[in-house]
Amino acid sequence: MADDTVLAAELTELEHAWWRALRDREWDAARRFMRPDFSITTAGWIDAPIGADAWLDTLAGRYQLDAFDYDEVAVRRYGDVAVVQCRSRQNGSLIDTGESWSETFRYTDVWVRDDAAGWQIAIRHAGLRR
């Protein structure tokens, strides 16, 4: 149980650090959290899996993230793979119009650990919470 608590804290901090880099538009720093084969799908604006670079380019051109939080974090470990399920409230603005947005998302993230890179995110699925 103690190992589960430590892992949950570690991955929660990695999730926060990753999103701080995204919020601060530090794309190279954000990319380092993602495996080379990273992919993301969403229930909203991404209807088919895309890779890290395409997703970051889309974020850079479309959204400004101002604030985020995470809660209801649940972590399950399977050897060198961990699955994180959580809820995130976010707000920001659209780059082209300046229009404000605020959403609550549910994420399922798959993190993979290797000796060289440590924990990196491999897959994210995002859904809007309605």
Side-chain angles (χ1 to χ4, degrees):
M1 184 62 121
D3 287 343
D4 291 344
T5 302
V6 169
L7 179 62
E10 180 181 2
L11 290 174
T12 298
E13 177 49 35
L14 285 172
E15 294 269 0
H16 279 91
W18 184 36
W19 277 88
R20 282 191 297 270
L22 294 169
R23 178 197 62 204
D24 297 342
R25 305 178 70 75
E26 296 174 355
W27 308 120
D28 290 339
R31 183 66 175 89
R32 286 191 291 273
F33 287 90
M34 297 181 270
R35 289 179 49 87
D37 61 349
F38 171 89
S39 71
I40 182 171
T41 57
T42 72
W45 55 280
I46 301 173
D47 63 353
I50 63 172
D53 295 331
W55 182 60
L56 292 174
D57 287 347
T58 300
L59 288 178
R62 188 171 183 171
Y63 295 105
Q64 171 62 50
L65 176 66
D66 295 328
F68 68 93
D69 67 16
Y70 278 93
D71 63 8
E72 296 184 15
V73 178
V75 177
R76 294 182 185 155
R77 185 173 190 167
Y78 305 96
D80 289 334
V81 174
V83 177
V84 176
Q85 293 177 300
C86 61
R87 178 175 62 180
S88 177
R89 293 176 187 89
Q90 302 172 15
N91 63 62
S93 58
L94 299 176
I95 296 291
D96 59 348
T97 66
E99 180 183 344
S100 295
W101 59 268
S102 179
E103 296 287 352
T104 300
F105 298 92
R106 288 280 181 184
Y107 292 121
T108 301
D109 294 334
V110 177
W111 290 80
V112 177
R113 179 166 175 45
D114 71 38
D115 292 336
W119 288 105
Q120 287 185 302
I121 190 165
I123 299 170
R124 166 167 273 194
H125 175 75
L128 286 174
R129 184 172 170 259
R130 301 271 178 208

